[in-house]
Amino acid sequence: MDRVKDKIIVITGAASGLGLADATVLTREGAHVIMTDIDPEAGQTHANNLDATFIQQDVSEEASWQHLMAEVETRFGRLDGLVNNAGIAPIANIENTSTEIWRRVLSIHLDATFWGCQSAIKLMKHNGGGSIVNMSSTAALIGLGPYLAYSAAKGGIRSMTKSIAIHCRMEGLGIRCNSVHPGSISTPMVHTALKTLMGTDLMAEEDPEATRIAMGIGEPEDVANMVLYLLSDESKHVTGAEMVVDNGDTVI
Ligand SMILES: NC(=O)c1ccc[n+]([C@@H]2O[C@H](COP(=O)([O-])OP(=O)(O)OC[C@H]3O[C@@H](n4cnc5c(N)ncnc54)[C@H](O)[C@@H]3O)[C@@H](O)[C@H]2O)c1
């Protein structure tokens, strides 16, 4: 209990899946969480249930970051953690990815993570440090054929994270920056992928839990527990690291 007690933490894309699991675990461990999402209804409902704060945000809009950080500073006076989690995963390979899809995916993942890190560091510097977690994917490590833009964006997030970590260390900012690389985790994003690519409707299975386990798909809390560790002071010697949460998928 209280592993992140009284920390002020922003999570993007927190109305669903991994972001929502992060918010649930971090709140339970004593943080005050600011949940942001493009979906105001789900975001506000979940924030009310968790006694968290909700702020609507489209992470691919640069101005949304200035607005968000100004709100955080005014309401809470500081920022201890940021999880750059919001994402989309359109299925499109090198032959059928349009320029529009390419730009949209890079904007939501890569531009947003850049703006998020830059604006968070500005605020975290005031209170002598903080921890940033960038949600990447095993797609950054192996490349996924049906996900061209997504693989490129997640690879960019991986190396951007290391650049930020080293800068913060060299400047003595007390800010750590790490990336998390989940394999397949049971969220709406993966349920859509399973239906489209494999014809499997996980949630319509007679026993979805047994099927999930049989297919080697993880639970959102498996990732949230890693995020919790990286935002807590337990990981004070960990920066620039790529934390893989994939049950060994990239090893075998
Ligand atoms: N589920 C997995 O297996 C898996 C694996 C590796 C990486 N990831 C990454 O984890 C993150 C969360 O994925 P998830 O599986 O929970 O997906 P999800 O679809 O359940 O949730 C994504 C959330 O992001 C929000 N969002 C989308 N576009 C946005 C925007 N422009 N601005 C703000 N919010 C926006 C959505 O409204 C949604 O609430 C993503 O970055 C994804 O790439 C997921």
Side-chain angles (χ1 to χ4, degrees):
M1 288 291 279
D2 292 345
R3 289 169 66 190
V4 283
K5 190 167 170 45
D6 296 334
K7 288 189 190 286
I8 305 295
I9 295 170
V10 167
I11 306 171
T12 68
S16 171
L18 300 187
L20 179 56
D22 294 347
T24 306
V25 166
L26 291 162
T27 303
R28 188 192 69 208
E29 294 293 335
H32 185 80
V33 175
I34 297 114
M35 303 166 70
T36 88
D37 204 283
I38 201 166
D39 177 348
E41 275 169 38
Q44 190 63 63
T45 303
H46 290 303
N48 291 348
N49 292 340
L50 292 173
D51 206 10
T53 299
F54 176 72
I55 296 177
Q56 188 179 4
Q57 181 191 25
D58 178 347
V59 294
S60 67
E61 298 285 338
E62 185 175 8
S64 78
W65 286 100
Q66 278 112 45
H67 169 73
L68 171 66
M69 292 304 168
E71 281 284 308
V72 171
E73 190 167 25
T74 306
R75 290 204 221 171
F76 303 100
R78 64 174 212 280
L79 178 67
D80 301 300
L82 168 67
V83 186
N84 281 306
N85 168 81
I88 57 168
I91 297 168
N93 61 42
I94 180 60
E95 296 196 74
N96 60 22
T97 295
S98 64
T99 302
E100 192 189 350
I101 288 179
W102 172 260
R103 294 220 166 107
R104 183 87 189 123
V105 171
L106 263 64
S107 163
I108 290 176
H109 290 277
L110 212 44
D111 294 356
T113 301
F114 157 57
W115 291 320
C117 292
Q118 195 171 62
S119 56
I121 288 169
K122 230 183 246 178
L123 198 46
M124 285 172 174
K125 274 164 83 165
H126 295 328
N127 49 292
S131 174
I132 299 172
V133 176
N134 292 330
M135 198 51 65
S136 183
S137 164
T138 50
L141 310 175
I142 55 174
L144 301 175
Y147 294 95
L148 184 270
Y150 183 82
S151 299
K154 292 303 196 187
I157 288 173
R158 172 183 174 271
S159 42
M160 185 188 341
T161 299
K162 293 178 192 300
S163 170
I164 293 165
I166 290 310
H167 168 80
C168 291
R169 179 183 148 164
M170 286 172 71
E171 295 295 317
L173 302 183
I175 299 169
R176 298 181 293 106
C177 187
N178 294 288
S179 55
V180 173
H181 301 256
S184 272
I185 308 291
S186 182
T187 70
M189 181 183 280
V190 161
H191 300 161
T192 303
L194 288 175
K195 257 191 236 165
T196 313
L197 296 172
M198 298 171 70
T200 304
D201 187 348
L202 184 62
M203 300 325 281
E205 291 285 314
E206 199 176 310
D207 187 346
E209 193 53 11
T211 310
R212 178 188 69 73
I213 293 165
M215 293 181 84
I217 297 169
E219 299 174 276
E221 292 71 23
D222 295 329
V223 178
N225 287 329
M226 176 61 78
V227 171
L228 168 65
Y229 166 69
L230 292 172
L231 290 173
S232 78
D233 297 337
E234 295 158 26
S235 58
K236 65 182 170 48
H237 203 56
V238 180
T239 194
E242 46 192 84
M243 313 300 268
V244 180
V245 185
D246 72 343
N247 197 31
D249 278 354
T250 47
V251 180
I252 52 173

